[in-house]
Every structure is written in C-alpha cells, then in structure tokens.
Amino acid sequence: EVSACLVGSEMCIRDRVQAVQETGRPALASNCAEGPEVVQMTIAAPVASSAAIACPLPSGTGRSDLLYVGLPPERGTTEWLAIASLAAEQYRSAESIWAARLQAQAHAAIERELQQASQIQARLLPTGVHVPGLEVEITFRPCRWVGGDYVGVRPLDEARVLLTVADVCGKGLPAALVASSLHTMLFASLRAGAGLAELMDSLNTYINEFPGVESFVTMACVLLDVRSGELLCANAGHPPPLIAAPDGTVRPLPSGQNFPLGVAPAPISCQQDRLNTGELLVMYTDGVTESRTPAGALLSVEGLGQELAHLYGGAAQEPLSVLAGRLATRLDELQDGLVARDDVTLLLARAR
C-alpha cells in the first residue's frame, strides 16, 4: 500500500503509482506528452504542463516503495526515465549488498555459538579413561554441529565402572542441551552414592518433572565389576547392548521392559549378566542400527550383530582402537557416502 501526497502543482499521482504497481516497471507520466511509454496524468485542477517518473524500490516492510521524481515538461523524456531507472537499480543493488552483509554477520554469530556448543559437548566426552583390566574406545559423530547422543565412562572405585549411552529424542541444540543436563544429573547422583536403579529413577524423575524438558531419553547403563566380570544393566527403552565373544558369537544383554526416561514415572528395573575376559561389550545409539544402506535397508540390531561377529571373530587379539576404527569404517562403507541422518555413538569395552 502506497500513500502519496500532492507535490508542487498538486497534481494527483494515483495513476503513476497504479501503473508502476501493476507492471513492476518504471513509468513516465506527463500531461503534455504522448507515447507508448507515457502514462497520462490525472490533474486535480488546471495547472501548467508537468511530468514525473516513478520507479519501484525494494522494501522489507511489505509496502511498495517508489522513487518519485517531479520534472519540468521538457525533461519528461525516455532518457530521463532511463536515468531514474539506473538510480533505482543502484539503490536496489546497494540494499541487496547491505542485506547480504547483515545476514552474513548473523550467520557468523550463529556459527560461533554453535562452534562453542560443539566444543562444550566435546569436553563432555570421556578422555584418558584408565580402568585397570578394561579397554575402552568411543566413537561420537553428531549429524549436526551438536548432537543429542550422550556417552559416559565413570570409574566408581578400583574395580567398578559405569558405562552409559543415551539418546535424546530430537536433534541439534535442543537435544544437546538435554544431553548436557543428563551429564550433570548423572554424576551428581553418583557423587551422592546412588545405586544403578536409584540413579535411573532419579534421571527419570528429572526428565518427567523438570520444566522446559519436553522430550524423552532412551538410555542404557552398565555397572561393571572389572575384577569379577559381573555386570548390572539398566535399559530404558534403548537398543540392547551386545557382547561379542572371541569365537564370533554375539549375544544381546537383557533389555527389560522399561519405558524411556521421561515417558512415565515408573521404576526402572535392572538385570544381571557377565562380561568374561576377552569379550567385547558394544553399546550404541540407534543412529548406528537405523543407518540406511544404498539399497534403503536398515542395518538393524541383527545386522550390527552380524558385522560384529565377522569383525571380532578371529581378530579378538587386535588392539581395541584398531577394532573401533575398523567398525567405524565398515559403517561408513555400508552408508556408501550417504549423509548421516542421525547422531552415531559407539562405546566399546573389552575385559582384558
């Protein structure tokens, strides 16, 4: 919508404005000249001969802004129309450059913040983990700057270690914030001396009741006694951890019937099992098992188990870092260059 005032001779410019709005092109108007490029003026009262040019200009306000130039009759020509059109084009070009600069600055600020968030999340990853009698390797690949997966390795004493993998529903920064809060809650509960079931119940209560957390979390926690091999597993709606033996057999840990965290305030149950010397514990998120091959098929838990059987059978003496690299490479080969649509997290632990 354009509001126009009467200028100088008090001629009405409604016809010029309408012509520019209808065509989107500059218009020359005159009450004393004729031609295919000339719009005849509508005069509010008898006045002297006059001419005007109207050129459309871009506007981010939703209005149809115009460059309007009143001219004496002898300059109401196509040459002057071309000059005014060039001026309008220069204005459009300058506005585009300025808008692009502002957008680039905004994008740069967002990228800096995302990079900082990525660095913060990277610092949450376990590094330099030393647990006597246990080898640990971690693969963590967010599909965006930051991810909603969480992985934790926490020695509790000289014999026991807590291994955790979780997946927050969603992707990107909102999911990463929930994952970060899980890290805080998990280690706060451990410092308070909570057992595994009590720990999982506390996390479930937090996700259910904390204002602003509108998500749910699948999580698998394994409390392992490295000396005896005994383990306690709590699985809240997460894909089952797998144990691969040196002979190539692969079995899932019992997953129980627990809901994901944040779905219901029901208690979380735990199941017992054992990790023998030389066996490989594999914990992962569904970004691994739901990755698609070029044929469009899901890898699935069974497919991951087959890959582990082929990879670990006969190669159990290789360093765990080599095995982790081979598994990550194999997952890349299965995807055949396709862009990952979910975060990928793997935690490998082997009893020595």
Side-chain angles (χ1 to χ4, degrees):
E1 180 182 350
V2 177
S3 60
C5 61
L6 299 180
V7 181
S9 61
E10 298 186 356
M11 69 181 99
C12 177
I13 68 168
R14 186 184 302 112
D15 291 347
R16 278 153 289 167
V17 170
Q18 183 177 358
V20 173
Q21 287 179 322
E22 290 176 353
T23 65
R25 299 192 301 270
L28 168 65
S30 175
N31 67 345
C32 61
E34 296 182 357
E37 298 92 355
V38 179
V39 178
Q40 291 299 310
M41 287 183 175
T42 300
I43 305 301
V47 295
S49 298
S50 186
I53 291 172
C55 299
L57 295 174
S59 173
T61 62
R63 303 181 306 168
S64 298
D65 290 344
L66 298 176
L67 170 63
Y68 174 69
V69 184
L71 299 170
E74 66 272 14
R75 294 180 181 171
T77 64
T78 56
E79 287 80 4
W80 279 92
L81 176 62
I83 292 173
S85 299
L86 285 173
E89 185 60 35
Q90 289 294 321
Y91 175 83
R92 282 193 292 267
S93 177
E95 285 290 290
S96 297
I97 293 172
W98 183 253
R101 180 182 178 184
L102 293 178
Q103 188 176 39
Q105 290 175 341
H107 286 173
I110 293 173
E111 287 188 2
R112 284 194 300 271
E113 291 180 357
L114 288 174
Q115 187 175 22
Q116 291 172 353
S118 178
Q119 292 170 350
I120 291 173
Q121 188 171 53
R123 286 196 290 269
L124 296 181
L125 295 176
T127 57
V129 177
H130 178 69
V131 181
L134 190 70
E135 296 175 90
V136 178
E137 288 290 334
I138 292 171
T139 298
F140 181 78
R141 296 179 179 175
C143 66
R144 300 182 182 176
W145 279 92
V146 289
D149 284 1
Y150 173 75
V151 56
V153 179
R154 180 73 173 184
L156 303 183
D157 51 41
E158 293 181 357
R160 297 183 306 150
V161 60
L162 182 69
L163 308 170
T164 306
V165 170
D167 186 358
V168 179
C169 178
K171 299 179 182 66
L173 191 56
L177 291 174
V178 176
S180 177
S181 67
L182 279 178
H183 174 84
T184 302
M185 284 295 300
L186 189 148
F187 287 111
S189 298
L190 288 176
R191 292 190 189 98
L196 184 56
E198 184 182 359
L199 166 67
M200 296 293 284
D201 288 340
S202 297
L203 293 175
N204 191 30
T205 300
Y206 169 76
I207 298 297
N208 271 288
E209 298 181 357
F210 190 80
V213 178
E214 299 176 357
S215 185
F216 65 87
V217 180
T218 67
M219 175 180 278
C221 284
V222 171
L223 179 58
L224 174 65
D225 188 315
V226 179
R227 292 175 179 173
S228 67
E230 295 179 355
L231 64 81
L232 197 61
C233 179
N235 191 320
H238 199 78
L242 303 175
I243 293 181
D247 62 2
T249 59
V250 177
R251 61 185 176 86
L253 286 178
S255 59
Q257 301 296 322
N258 300 313
F259 289 113
L261 304 179
V263 172
I268 305 295
S269 61
C270 303
Q271 289 77 37
Q272 293 181 334
D273 211 286
R274 184 178 183 85
L275 184 69
N276 296 311
T277 301
E279 289 186 330
L280 178 67
L281 172 66
V282 181
M283 303 174 70
Y284 54 93
T285 58
D286 60 9
V288 175
T289 53
E290 293 182 2
S291 60
R292 292 189 178 272
T293 65
L298 295 177
L299 176 60
S300 75
V301 175
E302 292 76 16
L304 176 60
Q306 292 171 6
E307 293 294 335
L308 287 171
H310 177 74
L311 176 69
Y312 199 58
Q317 300 305 316
E318 290 188 357
L320 192 57
S321 58
V322 174
L323 292 170
R326 288 175 57 193
L327 180 56
T329 299
R330 180 56 180 156
L331 293 175
D332 291 339
E333 291 173 352
L334 290 173
Q335 296 229 109
D336 194 26
L338 296 177
V339 177
R341 294 182 293 182
D342 200 357
D343 308 321
V344 171
T345 299
L346 279 162
L347 189 159
L348 308 183
R350 178 168 63 185
R352 294 183 292 196

